Amino acid sequence: MRSLDGLNSQQKQAVESCDSNLLVVAGAGSGKTRVLTHKICYLIEEKGLYPSEILAMTFSNKAAREMKDRVQILLPSFEQPRWIGTFHSTCLKLLKEFHLQAGIEQQFSIFDEADQLALIKRILKEMDVDPKHLPPKAIKWNISSAKNESIHPIELLRNENQMSSKALEVAQKYQEELEKNQAMDFGDLLIRMIKLVQENEQVRDILQKRWKYILIDEFQDTNAIQKMLIQQIKGPQTKVCAVGDEDQCIYTWRGAQVENMLEFEEDFSPSQTVKLDQNYRSTKPILDVANAVISHNVGRRKKELWTTKQEGPSVDFYLAEDDYAEARHIIDQVMKGQRQGKPLSDFCVLYRTHVQSRVIEDEARRRNIAYRILGGTRFYDRAEIKDVLSMLKLITNPFDNVAFERIINKPARGIGPKTVQNLRDLSLQLGTSMFQVIPKLKGSSKAHQALGEFYLTFQKLAETAFEEKPTKITEKLLEKTSYLKALENEHTIEADARIENIEELLRTMSDFEEQTGLGLLEFMDQVSLSSDADTQNYDAPMLTMMTIHNSKGLEYPHIFVVGLEEGVFPHQRAIEENGDDELEEERRLCYVAMTRAEDKLTLLAAARRKLYRFTMYNPLSRFLEEIPEQLYNKVFNPNLDSQTPNWRAGQDSAYDPYSQLNEFELASQVLQKTKAKKNSDSPYQPGAFVEHPNFGRGLIKKSEGPDTNLKLTIAFERAGVKKIMLNYVDLEIIHPM
């Protein structure tokens, strides 16, 4: 039986259990993707379900593609299941299918983060509100957070007093503008789908009968709205199978609720639970260390990963004198591996925050080690790519004012802010889009002539946009707008790089056409839902560096986990809040980092570390304290003599590292000892690093008052300690709590 081939007894149990709702608690490296794909095949091959009767949802396009490919390999003679995708892509497909019932246009736009910020900034300008007083990113964060929790996000924000009345007004206008633009952000895709199912009995009946089985991948990462969606589309006879691991819930900052895993049996009763605890990735020494750390978490089902790979190199711990020495040791080990015949792609460095990479990057460059950073600027977020995509958005949706304003003067056409404001005012007056009122705007200036040419160009392109292939229409667009020509005329290295990126976009379009045979709208939908992981080439022979958050779902033969010091990992925020939930998530991050390693795990810390130009002397991470010393090997460092203090968490030392610190550095260390609770959701909390336009970089020592009128005490590197009223200064968060 193909659907059960190669499965262990626990995996077989998970695949064959189809008569009730099922929770599969799948530990790291235990084969959860194998279980999901084999279960889909089992439902088709053995239970007689049609592929269209199965819905499988996951969190990334990459994971969805992998699932589709595996099912196709297992069942080549069967139709490929249509309903495998991310939560957002599934809702997008359904909203387009039922657009009439939802009361929306089929060709609505999707606003990503950049589009959201652009819209919020425009609203603030129209309201004559200084963005220094109401930071657009803060407003966007509040809106997105509310949309992760409720289908009535504005009401939630109002009832919970999370925003000032002025900020709430901006949020309301933002939502109204989305409707006017016939657009949705990612949160709206799920909310509109839930509302449609709740309010339309016919659609609800169709969907609840359409799928007999719903499978959810990475269930520990679902938020309140995603769980609500599952409950709404589940019919009385529909079975739900959720696969996840509460020990790998590391995204609560973006709405994930580990409680969804812990409460599954109650939410989807009756149900049964199957545990997968055999790890196929790591050796026993690695798993022993990871199990020791995660066992200190309370909010979890008790399980201990085991493996048949009993033999393997010991887990090493290296205490460096500083972060530069930490970087040198990493590159030393990488080069040693190279001499032993190991490729660079075997090695990966994991850190808690992006800023830790810089020193390691410098050392790698100095010694000619090729490396890549996973999690930098996404391909689709680069300015030139956003420009081209905005042009395509305007062709397919003339109501998209955000796309219009982004590209109306790119390349420069002599259309200034005043002309744009006149268009904006007229569009508000006539109740239509800025693009559509261009012919109605009176005038004979050069700007008006440029507007007329712009209108005719895009109107003509729109006429054939749905008939031609995406590559062809984009090439026409680049030619007619002279966008590429303008870049070529710059004659700079930066312009050449942008041209290469646009050429890569065209290649991506061409690949999409060949693989799917679909058109521009479908390509735009895919791009809107793309993620950083989707654009990475994991086969390149380079040393990889990334944050632990970005490492989820990946694995490497040799993993380096750096910065195992209090205040670095666990993060300062978790220590300051002194809350069990925050520290448990940090511990889950540590567990995820360790279980990325297949053969070798190296843990590193520095006796002193320079972050944001500030030297820190932190005790070793409590996560090291939680590992029995016999489970790892302390690598001898001749540069740290016997007088070096044992900076293990919770232990005192006669050495006083604070004696040589200035006021700013001292503030950083004192904060790490405090037990103050975070009093709000504002990012301006004690321990956050900020940038002041005059005083430079500083560390927040104290935060007083309501979020709408915060008074901050900040220790600045150059200017000393200052008291700042947040409403009267533009403070940029460098290192949020």
Side-chain angles (χ1 to χ4, degrees):
M1 191 183 300
R2 286 170 296 181
S3 54
L4 297 178
D5 287 348
L7 302 180
N8 65 33
S9 59
Q10 294 170 317
Q11 292 170 338
K12 283 182 181 178
Q13 183 185 358
V15 167
E16 293 178 309
S17 299
C18 300
D19 297 329
S20 68
N21 298 315
L22 175 69
L23 177 66
V24 181
V25 182
S30 62
K32 71 173 181 62
T33 304
R34 173 182 285 265
V35 166
L36 277 170
T37 53
H38 280 252
K39 192 171 187 74
I40 292 172
C41 295
Y42 185 82
L43 290 169
I44 296 171
E45 190 179 33
E46 299 301 321
K47 291 296 182 179
L49 269 65
Y50 292 107
S52 58
E53 294 177 317
I54 301 169
L55 169 64
M57 290 189 288
T58 185
F59 279 85
S60 73
N61 296 322
K62 179 174 177 288
R65 284 198 301 269
E66 182 180 355
M67 203 180 301
K68 288 178 182 178
D69 292 343
R70 290 198 189 189
V71 171
Q72 191 67 47
I73 291 171
L74 286 169
L75 296 180
S77 60
F78 283 79
E79 174 193 351
Q80 190 171 4
R82 177 174 179 240
W83 295 101
I84 296 179
T86 65
F87 278 89
H88 294 111
S89 65
T90 299
C91 289
L92 173 64
K93 194 183 295 185
L94 290 171
L95 286 171
K96 293 207 168 190
E97 178 183 350
F98 297 105
H99 68 99
L100 293 176
Q101 294 88 334
I104 57 178
E105 292 293 328
Q106 193 173 27
Q107 296 171 14
F108 61 84
S109 293
I110 301 172
F111 277 24
D112 61 13
E113 288 192 12
D115 297 326
Q116 291 174 264
L117 282 173
L119 178 55
I120 291 170
K121 288 175 183 177
R122 197 193 82 197
I123 292 170
L124 289 171
K125 186 175 182 180
E126 290 174 353
M127 293 174 60
D128 197 26
V129 175
D130 190 341
K132 296 177 183 178
H133 296 166
L134 287 180
K137 287 185 178 179
I139 295 174
K140 187 191 78 66
W141 182 86
N142 276 282
I143 293 172
S144 298
S145 297
K147 287 183 178 181
N148 285 335
E149 296 182 36
S150 171
I151 60 172
H152 304 291
I154 304 300
E155 290 181 23
L156 177 68
L157 292 171
R158 183 186 297 112
N159 295 337
E160 295 194 359
N161 297 316
Q162 294 184 18
M163 304 175 79
S164 66
S165 58
K166 185 64 72 173
L168 186 61
E169 185 181 353
V170 175
Q172 289 172 313
K173 286 183 178 293
Y174 165 82
Q175 205 60 37
E176 292 168 3
E177 285 296 310
L178 283 179
E179 303 245 351
K180 288 180 185 177
N181 282 267
Q182 295 185 15
M184 298 184 202
D185 59 26
F186 278 22
D188 286 328
L189 290 173
L190 275 72
I191 288 174
R192 291 295 290 266
M193 193 63 234
I194 291 172
K195 285 184 176 180
L196 174 61
V197 175
Q198 287 181 340
E199 297 169 4
N200 191 302
E201 184 178 352
Q202 181 185 15
V203 173
R204 180 170 64 250
D205 187 58
I206 290 172
L207 295 184
Q208 290 186 351
K209 290 179 179 177
R210 173 175 289 179
W211 299 302
K212 293 183 178 178
Y213 220 95
I214 299 175
L215 298 100
I216 315 297
D217 189 16
E218 304 286 9
F219 193 66
Q220 76 281 348
D221 293 334
T222 53
N223 58 35
I225 287 296
Q226 287 160 339
K227 185 175 82 170
M228 189 184 301
L229 174 69
I230 298 165
Q231 292 172 323
Q232 290 294 324
I233 62 177
K234 177 190 179 302
Q237 305 305 316
T238 309
K239 302 296 186 295
V240 172
C241 172
V243 181
D245 181 12
E246 58 265 24
D247 291 341
Q248 297 185 74
C249 180
I250 60 174
Y251 297 119
T252 60
W253 49 274
R254 68 182 188 195
Q257 296 184 341
V258 69
E259 294 82 7
N260 290 352
M261 278 287 295
L262 301 174
E263 298 169 1
F264 180 90
E265 291 92 343
E266 180 181 343
D267 293 330
F268 297 94
S269 178
S271 67
Q272 64 180 116
T273 300
V274 174
K275 291 184 181 179
L276 306 181
D277 54 13
Q278 181 177 356
N279 178 283
Y280 289 90
R281 176 187 301 146
S282 308
T283 62
K284 185 176 186 298
I286 294 169
L287 294 183
D288 286 345
V289 167
N291 285 330
V293 171
I294 200 62
S295 67
H296 287 77
N297 269 8
V298 176
R300 65 187 293 264
R301 292 175 177 81
K302 185 177 180 181
K303 68 176 181 298
E304 189 163 302
L305 295 180
W306 62 277
T307 180
T308 58
K309 296 163 67 174
Q310 296 292 305
E311 301 299 324
S314 65
V315 174
D316 286 344
F317 168 62
Y318 182 80
L319 177 60
E321 56 269 33
D322 58 21
D323 45 342
Y324 293 97
E326 181 184 62
R328 288 194 298 272
H329 183 75
I330 291 170
I331 303 303
D332 283 344
Q333 296 305 302
V334 170
M335 295 182 75
K336 179 180 178 182
Q338 280 188 298
R339 290 193 294 271
Q340 295 171 348
K342 298 175 183 177
L344 279 177
S345 54
D346 275 8
F347 302 92
C348 176
V349 182
L350 300 180
Y351 35 77
R352 179 62 180 83
T353 57
H354 278 294
V355 72
Q356 291 171 258
S357 74
R358 200 267 305 168
V359 174
I360 308 170
E361 288 185 66
D362 287 349
E363 185 65 20
R365 282 194 297 267
R366 189 178 70 81
R367 294 161 77 176
N368 295 318
I369 296 295
Y371 71 92
R372 60 180 175 177
I373 303 292
L374 183 65
T377 302
R378 298 192 325 158
F379 177 78
Y380 291 110
D381 283 343
R382 294 170 187 172
E384 61 278 5
I385 302 301
K386 291 287 292 181
D387 289 345
V388 176
L389 293 177
S390 292
M391 293 180 196
L392 293 171
K393 280 185 179 182
L394 190 62
I395 289 172
T396 58
N397 179 10
F399 289 93
D400 194 333
N401 287 341
V402 172
F404 176 86
E405 291 201 37
R406 180 181 180 91
I407 52 90
I408 183 58
N409 203 39
K410 291 183 180 178
R413 300 182 178 89
I415 300 173
K418 185 177 180 181
T419 302
V420 174
Q421 184 60 52
N422 290 339
L423 280 172
R424 192 181 297 124
D425 293 341
L426 187 57
S427 72
L428 290 172
Q429 179 184 333
L430 298 179
T432 187
S433 73
M434 295 171 70
F435 178 80
Q436 290 179 320
V437 300
I438 289 177
K440 298 178 174 63
L441 189 68
K442 297 178 180 179
S444 58
S445 65
K446 288 185 178 180
H448 284 80
Q449 293 175 15
L451 274 176
E453 293 174 5
F454 177 91
Y455 180 85
L456 291 174
T457 297
F458 277 78
Q459 189 77 347
K460 191 167 184 178
L461 287 167
E463 291 173 1
T464 59
F466 304 110
E467 301 170 5
E468 299 189 36
K469 293 182 177 181
T471 306
K472 185 67 174 177
I473 193 67
T474 306
E475 288 173 341
K476 277 188 179 181
L477 183 149
L478 292 168
E479 179 187 352
K480 297 294 184 183
T481 60
S482 300
Y483 190 91
L484 271 181
K485 187 175 181 181
L487 287 175
E488 290 167 355
N489 290 339
E490 289 185 22
H491 301 294
T492 63
I493 295 175
E494 291 79 9
D496 290 343
R498 289 172 184 163
I499 292 169
E500 290 173 1
N501 288 334
I502 292 173
E503 289 172 349
E504 178 64 13
L505 177 65
L506 291 169
R507 187 192 66 80
T508 304
M509 286 181 170
S510 179
D511 290 345
F512 176 81
E513 293 165 9
E514 291 177 8
Q515 294 167 9
T516 68
L518 299 175
L520 181 60
L521 280 176
E522 290 79 6
F523 176 79
M524 296 296 288
D525 288 344
Q526 175 177 289
V527 168
S528 297
L529 299 168
S530 67
S531 68
D532 184 59
D534 297 325
T535 61
Q536 296 294 328
N537 174 15
Y538 293 103
D539 297 325
M542 298 187 220
L543 166 66
T544 302
M545 306 180 201
M546 71 182 89
T547 65
I548 300 169
H549 282 104
N550 282 322
S551 74
K552 183 74 182 301
L554 303 178
E555 57 189 38
Y556 292 85
H558 191 158
I559 289 286
F560 300 90
V561 182
V562 304
L564 279 163
E565 305 127 38
E566 293 288 287
V568 179
F569 193 22
H571 193 277
Q572 178 68 32
R573 175 183 60 250
I575 298 172
E576 288 300 324
E577 292 180 355
N578 196 31
D580 292 339
D581 290 344
E582 291 77 15
L583 284 170
E584 290 216 347
E585 175 142 358
E586 291 292 302
R587 191 173 284 110
R588 292 195 293 268
L589 266 174
C590 188
Y591 174 79
V592 166
M594 292 173 168
T595 54
R596 299 311 94 196
E598 297 173 331
D599 303 315
K600 178 69 178 178
L601 174 64
T602 301
L603 310 174
L604 300 102
R608 64 181 179 273
R609 181 178 302 278
K610 204 167 187 180
L611 287 176
Y612 312 104
R613 298 194 341 227
F614 315 130
T615 303
M616 300 179 179
Y617 298 81
N618 298 331
L620 295 183
S621 170
R622 68 193 66 201
F623 303 145
L624 286 168
E625 185 77 21
E626 293 166 356
I627 305 171
E629 292 194 9
Q630 67 270 21
L631 293 183
Y632 64 91
N633 172 52
K634 294 181 182 178
V635 179
F636 174 69
N637 183 352
N639 296 316
L640 287 176
D641 59 28
S642 59
Q643 300 303 311
T644 301
N646 183 16
W647 288 327
R648 293 184 74 84
Q651 294 187 1
D652 295 325
S653 169
Y655 174 71
D656 181 13
Y658 305 132
S659 61
Q660 300 177 22
L661 302 181
N662 61 29
E663 168 63 18
F664 180 82
E665 293 164 337
L666 179 59
S668 173
Q669 306 312 314
V670 171
L671 277 167
Q672 297 189 29
K673 303 290 185 182
T674 64
K675 303 296 182 182
K677 282 278 187 181
K678 180 180 175 184
N679 59 12
S680 77
D681 289 326
S682 167
Y684 299 98
Q685 290 293 311
F689 288 90
V690 296
E691 180 83 17
H692 188 283
N694 297 321
F695 301 141
R697 296 187 183 187
L699 178 79
I700 298 177
K701 295 176 63 178
K702 190 175 182 181
S703 176
E704 302 170 275
D707 286 2
T708 54
N709 191 29
L710 282 177
K711 180 180 180 181
L712 306 174
T713 302
I714 306 176
F716 289 99
E717 182 185 18
R718 299 190 303 270
V721 178
K722 304 280 186 183
K723 291 186 182 294
I724 302 289
M725 296 300 293
L726 184 59
N727 283 348
Y728 294 95
V729 69
D730 184 17
L731 277 183
E732 179 186 357
I733 292 287
I734 305 174
H735 187 39
M737 287 293 290

